Amino acid sequence: MKTIVVYYSLEENTDFVAKKIASELNADLLRLYPKKVYPKKGFSKYFWGGKSAVMGESPELEQYSFNAQNYDLVIFGTPVWAGTFTPPLRTFINENNLSDKKIAAFACQAGEGNPKKFTKLKNALGIENLEAELALINPKERQSDSNEKKIIEFCQKLNGDK
């Protein structure tokens, strides 16, 4: 089964986890970059990112290469903004037909996060279930054996090992 990890990362937490998952599953990586960069600091970071997420915006992305026919499993990685997934993922979902793909997702967040973050992603994809879900709190900044174990278990579930 060919796998790709498609993700957006603002503060490198999602990038950190995406690389670990891709390595564990021998998956391809596709990092999404919006043409208009989101602020990384201060009030404007929360205002513009949160507004964009709440409003369901689909920002224009830098050019990327993706052929859905090459993959059986697509794993989405996202920070949690205003209780939902990030707008660059929304753009990717709108631009690609993933109807016959298995989908999994992981989210990186600063706190407990909104329990509906994966529900909102499933709704955007038009699916009822994800193959696996993983939520981590600041995994790059708070590296721990617990987070490592959660990442391994997520990957094992996708490999059918559990």
Side-chain angles (χ1 to χ4, degrees):
M1 175 169 65
K2 188 74 172 155
T3 301
I4 188 168
V5 179
V6 177
Y7 70 102
Y8 171 74
S9 187
L10 181 67
E11 296 178 321
E12 304 311 312
N13 280 291
T14 308
D15 180 67
F16 177 77
V17 176
K19 289 175 178 172
K20 286 185 171 290
I21 290 171
S23 176
E24 186 71 27
L25 295 174
N26 193 29
D28 292 341
L29 277 170
L30 173 57
R31 184 171 181 167
L32 303 173
Y33 293 94
K35 285 195 173 183
K36 183 177 179 188
V37 178
Y38 290 100
K40 289 188 176 188
K41 294 184 179 187
F43 173 76
S44 60
K45 168 185 154 183
Y46 297 101
F47 178 78
W48 290 109
K51 177 194 82 65
S52 186
V54 168
M55 300 302 289
E57 294 177 2
S58 296
E60 190 175 352
L61 300 176
E62 295 289 341
Q63 188 172 5
Y64 61 87
S65 177
F66 175 76
N67 183 343
Q69 294 177 332
N70 294 340
Y71 299 99
D72 304 298
L73 173 64
V74 177
I75 302 170
F76 285 111
T78 183
V80 177
W81 289 1
T84 191
F85 62 97
T86 53
L89 285 185
R90 182 176 305 282
T91 301
F92 180 86
I93 290 165
N94 291 341
E95 291 178 349
N96 295 281
N97 180 358
L98 304 171
S99 61
D100 62 340
K101 305 298 168 203
K102 293 182 179 183
I103 307 287
F106 68 93
C108 299
Q109 52 204 39
E112 290 304 313
N114 185 328
K116 295 182 180 180
K117 63 188 158 280
F118 292 123
T119 301
K120 292 175 181 184
L121 179 61
K122 290 185 283 190
N123 289 344
L125 288 159
I127 62 174
E128 290 191 27
N129 296 303
L130 294 167
E131 299 293 317
E133 298 176 3
L134 172 65
L136 300 169
I137 298 173
N138 293 332
K140 184 176 180 194
E141 298 166 18
R142 295 182 180 175
Q143 295 182 39
S144 68
D145 291 340
S146 173
N147 280 345
E148 291 294 322
K149 183 178 179 192
K150 289 175 184 177
I151 292 168
I152 297 296
E153 288 172 352
F154 176 81
C155 293
Q156 287 173 337
K157 184 172 184 180
L158 293 172
N159 273 334
D161 295 346
K162 274 196 161 187

